[in-house]
Amino acid sequence: MSHDDHAEPVLVSLSAPARRSLVAGLVRPVGSAPDGAEVVDIDIPDAELAAYLVHIAHAGHGFVARTGSGARAVAVVAGTVAALCGEDIPTALTAPDLDFLTALKPPAIEATRSVLLAVETADEQAITAALRILEP
């Protein structure tokens, strides 16, 4: 008789790993960007921001967005996703598709967070509150 003939089964609880959030922990105080991180004032005109997002989506490094506007913080998340997906960035900046953004799969969230590293702001509470709209 082998050792395994009398072994009791071991019950293991299997659950899906926690889904990384698109926005949790994204908001930081002004000046908290790591040394050498590219910090961009995203309160620039949409055309300039869209051109920047096209570039940074394929640059191999991320950036830190700086804004005092909750709407602009939501827009930069939407624009970053659009840049990575090859979608219409100007439209994403002006009219973010909330259903699409809240339904992103983990690989898309990881890709977005590898490009958009943080949102720096002087009003962390307001920006965090604005970004809650992107939580599923």
Side-chain angles (χ1 to χ4, degrees), residues 77-104:
V77 172
T80 302
V81 171
L84 289 166
C85 294
E87 297 294 327
D88 183 351
I89 300 168
T91 298
L93 293 173
T94 58
D97 183 341
L98 301 179
D99 290 335
F100 176 74
L101 293 168
T102 57
L104 288 176

Side-chain angles (χ1 to χ4, degrees), residues 28-42:
R28 309 268 172 81
V30 171
S32 65
D35 288 339
E38 194 169 335
V39 179
V40 177
D41 178 352
I42 60 167

Side-chain angles (χ1 to χ4, degrees), residues 45-133:
D46 282 355
E48 290 178 43
L49 183 55
Y52 176 77
L53 291 173
V54 166
H55 160 75
I56 197 68
H58 305 289
H61 66 279
F63 77 104
V64 175
R66 186 174 286 164
T67 188
S69 164
R72 203 59 176 169
V74 171
V76 79
V77 172
T80 302
V81 171
L84 289 166
C85 294
E87 297 294 327
D88 183 351
I89 300 168
T91 298
L93 293 173
T94 58
D97 183 341
L98 301 179
D99 290 335
F100 176 74
L101 293 168
T102 57
L104 288 176
K105 301 293 184 220
I109 291 171
E110 289 299 321
T112 302
R113 293 297 296 263
S114 71
V115 174
L116 178 58
L117 305 175
V119 174
E120 282 192 351
T121 184
D123 192 350
E124 292 175 72
Q125 234 176 8
I127 302 302
T128 299
L131 289 171
R132 280 195 194 108
I133 197 167

